[in-house]
Amino acid sequence: MNIQGKVILKKGREASARRFHPWIFSGAIHTLEGNPADGDWVEVQDAGQHTLGYGHYQKGTITIRLLSFLNPPGESFYAEKIAKAFNQRVVSKVITEFTNCFRLVHGEGDGLPGLIIDVYNGVAIIQAHSIGVHKDRQTVAGAIKEVIKGVHSIYYKSQNTLPEKSANEYLLGMSVLPHVVMEHGNRFYVDWEEGQKTGFFLDQRENRKLVGEMSRGAKVLNTFCYTGGFSVYALKAGAELVHSVDASEKAVAMTGKNLELNGFDPLQHRSFVADTFDFLKDKKDEYDIIILDPPAFAKHKDARHQAMKGYQRLNAEAIRVIKPNGIIFTFSCSQVVDRQLFYDTVVSSAIQSGRAVNVLHHLSQPADHPVSIYHPEGEYLKGLVLYVN
Ligand code: SAH
């Protein structure tokens, strides 16, 4: 990697980088040397000009994302990092003979801020969240090809994640769509070209499994179902009936195809293209299990207050609707809503409903979405399993 500039921090502002936190904020910078362009690699030094690390420069609140601490990144930088991340997925038993889709790189959690890589049974999807990663995309693709045996295609999809639009394109091979992956032995179609994000929500894998474990004989409502992940697990476990709801017609169509792919009896399932809030309005005592997995209601701190109102209303509705002794799986994937705030919001929903509610489980993101202990901001998926009397 070519280092294009040098950033010297103000006195006393080096502490977080010394503790391996990867973000350098604009307010911490004393001098900038070498006139780097957005996306260039720079060296970061403390006020005494000792090296703290190397990272991508990009004008903005977070001015540098550190990818390497102390050592300058060499030729095989990405290959080494990706090999390490892959090994972590192997050791943590994410990749098994029953699961061939996984997140290979989870940004800061794998020491690669700005980079997401999801692997779907031989196809890798790269998503850049920084201009630096965008500029390095060919090197990243080369590293994946070198390190991950069995990857035959690589698709770059960053059209909506960068400040400026970039074309989605194959960097290696090409693949027929939709593509089939396996997760805990269940099969799913994934369409990274047309689908949301990189095509599939891998982060709910273990929570889907838990829904499966609790669904035998139950009437299940899966709201915000997207491609029907939770619905497939519930039916596989022997749910009596599953209803899936999503506002997107495409998502509901894909849910139907995924149920078919797994060979379920169509009489046990119904899908609805509907707004979840509207759908719940006239329901009561119909479902034993309700799943609430909405999209991030808040993407920025400014939107947090509005988002809390959304979570409050949604959870109050589900608590009102669920059968006595029923179970609610409720999630928030908004990074700016932390675990405590989400919990407090659900408490407020319970109080509003006037029903007795117990917390059975606190849920989170799986091992292929790791959180660096020095970067708690990396924890974004929070869930609660509620038992409603
Ligand atoms: N649970 C899914 C992921 C959910 S993603 C899984 O396991 O794969 C969020 C989904 O909510 C998207 O498919 C989006 O189309 C849908 N959505 C957004 N707003 C909605 C609303 N108001 N009512 C119903 N669905 C909505």
Side-chain angles (χ1 to χ4, degrees):
M1 304 298 150
N2 279 334
I3 310 297
Q4 311 280 358
K6 188 156 84 175
V7 172
I8 302 168
L9 301 188
K10 291 177 185 162
K11 207 164 178 245
R13 300 301 289 269
E14 69 285 349
S16 70
R18 287 224 187 283
R19 268 187 276 107
F20 306 110
H21 191 289
W23 296 344
I24 304 288
F25 291 97
S26 55
I29 296 172
H30 184 268
T31 29
L32 178 62
E33 293 175 9
N35 197 24
D38 280 348
D40 282 349
W41 279 83
V42 292
E43 178 178 354
V44 178
Q45 296 183 340
D46 68 10
Q49 306 220 358
H50 305 105
T51 302
L52 291 166
Y54 300 82
H56 287 140
Y57 174 83
Q58 183 173 329
K59 276 177 228 72
T61 316
I62 302 172
T63 311
I64 297 128
R65 291 168 176 83
L66 292 166
L67 294 98
S68 181
F69 293 91
L70 300 175
N71 295 326
E75 281 281 294
S76 54
F77 170 76
Y78 282 109
E80 283 165 21
K81 285 266 192 176
I82 288 171
K84 226 172 138 185
F86 182 69
N87 185 53
Q88 199 176 310
R89 274 68 181 165
V90 172
V91 169
S92 59
K93 306 286 183 242
V94 168
I95 307 167
T96 67
E97 60 180 304
F98 303 109
T99 300
N100 59 21
C101 52
F102 57 93
R103 178 153 290 190
L104 171 61
V105 170
H106 184 60
E108 285 83 355
D110 286 293
L112 290 168
L115 177 61
I116 297 292
I117 306 172
D118 286 342
V119 175
Y120 298 125
N121 185 20
V123 181
I125 316 300
I126 302 175
Q127 192 175 66
H129 289 260
S130 71
I131 298 170
V133 168
H134 174 67
K135 283 189 169 173
D136 290 348
R137 64 192 180 285
Q138 295 289 357
T139 316
V140 172
I144 296 172
K145 185 167 174 260
E146 182 190 327
V147 172
I148 315 295
K149 304 291 169 243
V151 167
H152 54 78
S153 303
I154 300 177
Y155 187 64
Y156 181 67
K157 186 178 188 186
S158 305
Q159 203 161 58
N160 302 316
T161 56
L162 291 168
E164 281 179 32
K165 276 217 175 294
S166 71
N168 294 338
E169 58 175 339
Y170 284 91
L171 301 179
L172 175 75
M174 205 165 189
S175 199
V176 180
L177 284 164
H179 182 73
V180 177
V181 299
M182 192 164 58
E183 185 190 85
H184 286 313
N186 294 308
R187 285 158 33 97
F188 292 98
Y189 288 113
V190 178
D191 183 341
W192 47 84
E193 289 184 25
E194 291 291 320
Q196 298 177 29
K197 305 276 176 77
T198 67
F200 191 62
F201 289 87
L202 294 162
D203 56 0
Q204 289 288 20
R205 182 191 310 112
E206 301 314 312
N207 303 327
R208 289 184 192 124
K209 195 168 166 225
L210 185 61
V211 164
E213 284 162 14
M214 293 171 129
S215 292
R216 171 165 289 277
K219 292 187 174 149
V220 178
L221 172 64
N222 179 16
T223 66
F224 307 93
C225 68
Y226 187 45
T227 56
F230 286 103
S231 307
V232 166
Y233 279 72
L235 283 167
K236 176 76 158 287
E240 186 185 320
L241 168 142
V242 176
H243 285 171
S244 305
V245 177
D246 200 286
S248 149
E249 217 166 294
K250 264 194 202 163
V252 167
M254 198 69 135
T255 295
K257 286 180 74 176
N258 279 329
L259 294 165
E260 214 179 284
L261 181 66
N262 288 278
F264 298 125
D265 177 356
L267 292 176
Q268 282 181 295
H269 183 264
R270 265 188 84 184
S271 314
F272 303 83
V273 179
D275 173 84
T276 298
F277 291 94
D278 288 344
F279 184 86
L280 289 174
K281 228 179 252 164
D282 55 354
K283 300 283 183 295
K284 179 93 184 126
D285 293 345
E286 220 176 287
Y287 301 107
D288 302 294
I289 295 181
I290 298 178
I291 298 140
L292 307 171
D293 184 25
F297 283 165
K299 295 223 163 72
H300 303 284
K301 276 208 172 123
D302 329 342
R304 195 160 53 180
H305 182 67
Q306 245 353 77
M308 300 327 302
K309 284 199 206 160
Y311 289 120
Q312 204 278 346
R313 197 155 67 88
L314 179 64
N315 283 281
E317 270 299 88
I319 297 171
R320 179 187 67 73
V321 164
I322 193 97
K323 266 190 189 171
N325 308 319
I327 289 175
I328 298 173
F329 285 75
T330 180
F331 297 97
S332 162
C333 61
S334 303
Q335 195 243 313
V336 293
V337 175
D338 67 19
R339 190 166 281 283
Q340 188 62 46
L341 187 53
F342 180 58
Y343 187 90
D344 293 344
T345 306
V346 175
V347 171
S348 149
S349 305
I351 292 169
Q352 185 186 329
S353 75
R355 295 180 72 173
V357 178
N358 284 348
V359 178
L360 304 187
H361 297 283
H362 291 260
L363 304 178
S364 187
Q365 60 212 53
D368 54 341
H369 294 60
V371 182
S372 158
I373 221 154
Y374 307 108
H375 181 260
E377 299 93 330
E379 188 191 2
Y380 70 99
L381 183 61
K382 295 130 324 248
L384 293 169
V385 184
L386 309 175
Y387 182 86
V388 183
N389 285 272

